[in-house]
Amino acid sequence: MASRGIQGTLMPFLYPCAGRWGRGFLGCQRMGTLVDQSVGDTHPTPDGLSDHDVLKTLLPSTHFNPSPDDYALTPFTDRCTLTLHSGSGGHGCISFLREKYISDGPANGGDGGSGGNVFIQAVRGETSLHKLARRGILKAGRGKSGQGKGKGGERGEDLLVQVPVGTVVREVERWDPVADEEERVKIAAGASEGEGGGGGGGGLWRRDKWTLYPGGVPGGIASMEFPSLPRIRRSQLALSQPQAPIRLDLSDAMESPILLAAGAMGGLGNPHFVSKSTPRPKFATKGDHGMRITLELELKLLADVGLVGLPNAGKSTLLRSLTRSRARVGNWEFTTLQPNIGTVVLDNNQGRPKIPRGDKSERTRFTIADIPGLVAGAHLDRGLGLGFLRHVERAGVLAFVVDLGAGDAVEAVEGLWKEVRMYEQMRSVEEKQEREEYAVTWKPISEKAAERHMVVDDGRPRKQQQQQHHNEVSTISQKPWFIVGTKADLPGAKENFERLREWLAEKGGLVGVFPVCALKGEGVDRVVDWVARSLERCS
């Protein structure tokens, strides 16, 4: 009777304890409780449950076998378009000296402040672009207008864009009002055969360039004589910004940010236009408009190990068994819809070796990236497609995760390699198109900054750049890889694993293969030791 009083079709989903939905839900809970309490074969196995489901039911709820609601799902965005506006300059001030016994004082208006600059910096701790994707448009502060007594306006507030390490920045569109004005001046100078002064608009009133004294009569604009516009000015900081089009690969954490767009210059106060004919000018110039840049940001996660496998192969459970990650797990396909990152700590007093680096320091941890599963035909945009494979491009080691209890493991590995090769072909076509276009060379002010940050296209073919940046040389197929056979405790897993080892022996036998039961945490230590030695050889 209680269920009849509930109105609306969504109520059973929101309140499963009410009505017939609630009775089914409670019934499932009672059945699960009976199975948990049964240690032997006293109670029969419920119909429709696989051996893996029964194993998860019999095992207590742990970090490897969490309850359905024990997971953390963080917002994740790996590609977005961002529009950046540098600050416009403040207007010049029209002011005159006012003191006792001075009726008509000289002009003393201050210049407008310059606009805010736009910087970008790759920082550690950020793992997604969702904060920038939500905003979409970011603007630096506008410069303040000048004041009387020769006081200049304040600078606009700078804009700092912080992105995760591994972000690739590509310029899509740019609007530079100063460049447009320079082009207009050249056209005007050519039309007048070199006459017209430095601004190309002497004696002309332009609403977008001049500001008038507030007490003036609007009708007097036609009779006023305006001087030639001052020469076009740019901020000195514009010399340190990368020239268009911007192509940056921020693969390392940055101590200091990179200037993307310098703020516009402020307008000039009326003292700049004092002349014999106009001792008390009642006009000043307006500040320039700021630059607008549209950027495409693409995030490629930086992880030491990348997990690649079919859906429901046990990648998320393996990640939870190796790290303290709280990735969502479940016995259905596409449990993982976005990449997850976990950290393996090597110096946790359990005898795991530390990894020496090239700079003679010791690595105390390494990261693992779990990407969504790849289905057959993913290169044809089936399933979730190959878009998430970009996150294992920078991985030092690849781990192919196969389910030993479902299907032939050899066919699974061959299918994964097929999809990886198709992805490499797609990437090679895209790189060939980018290689045909050369960008200008960008040299920052400091040489150390040039060593820290890589310019993707600097006027040379990409092959020459890859020779200098060894982290980008190896493609996915050239990386060291190994195989992890999950669910090794299921029936038939041993025979499947033996066939996989025979197949690897025919291929050369130089690839590590490890059977594990991530649900129980068995065999995962060997994976950590093998990865530690591989990273030691690569460093």
Side-chain angles (χ1 to χ4, degrees):
M1 296 299 293
S3 61
R4 297 180 182 178
I6 300 178
Q7 303 294 332
T9 57
L10 296 179
M11 295 302 294
F13 297 95
L14 297 177
Y15 304 99
C17 59
R20 59 184 183 87
W21 290 76
R23 290 194 296 272
F25 179 78
L26 295 176
C28 294
Q29 280 191 333
R30 296 191 191 98
M31 183 181 67
T33 305
L34 293 177
V35 176
D36 289 339
Q37 294 174 355
S38 61
V39 198
D41 297 332
T42 308
H43 299 279
T45 302
D47 297 336
L49 295 180
S50 63
D51 297 337
H52 187 68
D53 292 333
V54 175
L55 180 61
K56 288 179 67 65
T57 309
L58 293 176
L59 291 177
S61 179
T62 60
H63 180 70
F64 308 152
N65 180 33
S67 58
D69 58 345
D70 183 14
Y71 67 92
L73 186 61
T74 57
F76 182 81
T77 303
D78 58 356
R79 189 189 294 267
C80 71
T81 301
L82 189 65
T83 303
L84 304 177
H85 294 259
S86 62
S88 301
H91 302 329
C93 178
I94 307 172
S95 175
F96 302 97
L97 178 64
R98 299 184 62 180
E99 292 185 359
K100 190 176 182 180
Y101 306 118
I102 300 178
S103 57
D104 298 327
N108 65 349
D111 299 338
S114 58
N117 307 313
V118 178
F119 297 90
I120 189 170
Q121 184 180 15
V123 296
R124 300 191 184 277
E126 296 288 340
T127 58
S128 175
L129 298 174
H130 69 279
K131 297 179 182 178
L132 300 176
R134 289 174 179 174
R135 303 183 66 177
I137 300 177
L138 299 176
K139 297 182 179 181
R142 181 186 181 93
K144 303 298 182 180
S145 298
Q147 302 177 8
K149 298 182 181 180
K151 296 180 180 179
E154 297 179 358
R155 282 187 63 253
E157 184 178 358
D158 294 337
L159 172 63
L160 177 60
V161 180
Q162 293 184 340
V163 297
V165 177
T167 302
V168 179
V169 183
R170 299 184 182 91
E171 181 180 331
V172 178
E173 183 183 3
R174 173 187 293 252
W175 177 67
D176 190 356
V178 178
D180 294 346
E181 183 66 19
E182 292 176 349
E183 186 68 21
R184 190 199 67 81
V185 170
K186 292 180 181 179
I187 295 176
S192 61
E193 297 180 352
E195 299 179 0
L204 299 179
W205 154 256
R206 290 183 57 183
R207 183 180 296 272
D208 59 335
K209 291 297 181 181
W210 295 103
T211 177
L212 301 179
Y213 189 64
V217 181
I221 298 178
S223 60
M224 292 180 63
E225 294 183 1
F226 292 92
S228 299
L229 287 171
R231 291 185 178 273
I232 300 174
R233 301 177 299 156
R234 283 185 180 271
S235 174
Q236 296 181 355
L237 294 176
L239 299 175
S240 62
Q241 68 186 20
Q243 300 182 18
I246 297 176
R247 297 290 188 272
L248 298 176
D249 190 349
L250 308 179
S251 58
D252 296 324
M254 302 163 54
E255 298 179 0
S256 58
I258 297 176
L259 177 65
L260 291 183
M265 297 297 295
L268 301 178
N270 60 341
H272 292 273
F273 307 101
V274 174
S275 62
K276 293 182 179 181
S277 60
T278 311
R280 303 181 75 247
K282 295 185 178 181
F283 46 80
T285 57
K286 294 183 177 180
D288 297 332
H289 293 285
M291 184 188 305
R292 183 183 70 237
I293 302 178
T294 302
L295 301 177
E296 180 185 4
L297 305 181
E298 179 183 0
L299 174 60
K300 297 180 180 179
L301 293 177
L302 295 177
D304 298 311
V305 182
L307 302 181
V308 182
L310 298 174
N312 199 25
K315 300 183 297 298
S316 300
T317 307
L318 178 63
L319 182 67
R320 294 183 70 115
S321 63
L322 293 173
T323 67
R324 297 301 299 172
S325 173
R326 297 183 62 233
R328 187 178 187 182
V329 298
N331 192 23
W332 62 85
E333 295 184 353
F334 298 109
T335 308
T336 303
L337 299 178
Q338 64 185 29
N340 296 314
I341 297 292
T343 302
V344 178
V345 180
L346 298 176
D347 56 347
N348 57 354
N349 300 323
Q350 292 185 3
R352 294 178 178 174
K354 296 182 180 181
I355 307 176
R357 293 182 176 178
D359 55 357
K360 298 182 180 180
S361 62
E362 291 186 343
R363 183 193 298 268
T364 59
R365 63 190 62 193
F366 64 85
T367 56
I368 302 178
D370 171 28
I371 66 172
L374 301 178
V375 300
H379 63 279
L380 301 177
D381 204 17
R382 295 178 181 174
L384 295 179
L386 298 177
F388 290 109
L389 272 179
R390 75 172 71 96
H391 299 294
V392 297
E393 286 185 11
R394 304 175 187 268
V397 181
L398 293 183
F400 289 89
V401 183
V402 295
D403 186 358
L404 297 178
D408 189 2
V410 176
E411 294 181 358
V413 175
E414 291 179 345
L416 291 174
W417 268 117
K418 177 182 177 182
E419 301 301 332
V420 169
R421 293 190 185 97
M422 295 302 299
Y423 175 78
E424 283 186 340
Q425 294 180 6
M426 295 168 53
R427 290 293 299 173
S428 63
V429 173
E430 294 177 0
E431 291 180 359
K432 183 178 180 180
Q433 295 176 354
E434 293 183 359
R435 197 180 301 124
E436 295 175 354
E437 301 178 0
Y438 295 125
V440 296
T441 303
W442 167 60
K443 295 182 179 180
I445 297 177
S446 60
E447 296 296 335
K448 294 183 179 180
E451 298 176 358
R452 288 197 304 265
H453 314 306
M454 186 187 87
V455 180
V456 176
D457 296 321
D458 60 348
R460 298 171 299 169
R462 186 178 294 267
K463 291 183 179 179
Q464 299 180 9
Q465 299 170 3
Q466 291 176 350
Q467 293 176 1
Q468 294 184 358
H469 306 281
H470 57 85
N471 292 333
E472 300 293 331
V473 172
S474 60
T475 59
I476 298 182
S477 60
Q478 296 175 346
K479 298 179 182 295
W481 60 284
F482 67 100
I483 301 176
V484 179
T486 59
K487 307 177 185 179
D489 56 334
L490 297 182
K494 182 177 181 180
E495 295 78 7
N496 201 359
F497 177 73
E498 293 297 333
R499 290 193 299 269
L500 179 60
R501 291 211 318 187
E502 294 176 359
W503 177 76
L504 290 175
E506 296 176 358
K507 299 296 182 180
L510 299 178
V511 179
V513 53
F514 308 97
V516 300
C517 179
L519 196 61
K520 300 178 181 179
E522 299 176 353
V524 296
D525 291 338
R526 293 180 295 174
V527 176
V528 175
D529 296 338
W530 193 92
V531 172
R533 290 192 297 268
S534 299
L535 294 177
E536 180 179 356
R537 290 191 296 267
C538 295
S539 60

